[in-house]
Amino acid sequence: MSPVSEKSFGFPRSLRLLTASDFRTVFDQVDVKAPSPTCLLLAKANQSEPRLGFIISKKNVKNATDRNRIKRFTRNYFRLNQAKLPSLDIIFMGRKGLSDLSDAQLHELIEKQFQKLTKRAVKNLKT
């Protein structure tokens, strides 16, 4: 069995939504949504590889440590599962109550939301 290169599990700049125009195109042309009471994933199909961006406001998640923890868990899930995800530009939006979740609950929520998004994207983008 050959070793897996670290690059394939990285999170380089090419996999991130960085500019305001990147975010604007997703907001203007949402193809798929995965809502929950504590977070919302919005996505738009693209022609390359899946990309991820975050909107987690101080109003909804007060502590910077909580915002960083949420982003770290989400980036880690995305990084390890990017090969399974369709080519989408994804925005992860935090809502009130997200910081109240334990680590296990947060992992479960992120996994569930990305699976829901993937399932809906495959269904919607085929038609």
Side-chain angles (χ1 to χ4, degrees), residues 4 29 47 62 67 71 74 78 81 86 112 117 122:
V4 178
Q29 305 166 3
Q47 298 300 318
K62 302 257 186 267
R67 290 192 301 276
K71 288 191 272 188
T74 307
F78 179 83
N81 295 285
K112 181 180 172 185
L117 186 77
V122 169

Side-chain angles (χ1 to χ4, degrees), residues 21-34:
S21 65
D22 289 341
F23 283 88
R24 196 174 307 114
T25 57
V26 176
F27 279 120
D28 291 345
Q29 305 166 3
V30 174
D31 292 331
V32 187
K33 292 181 185 180

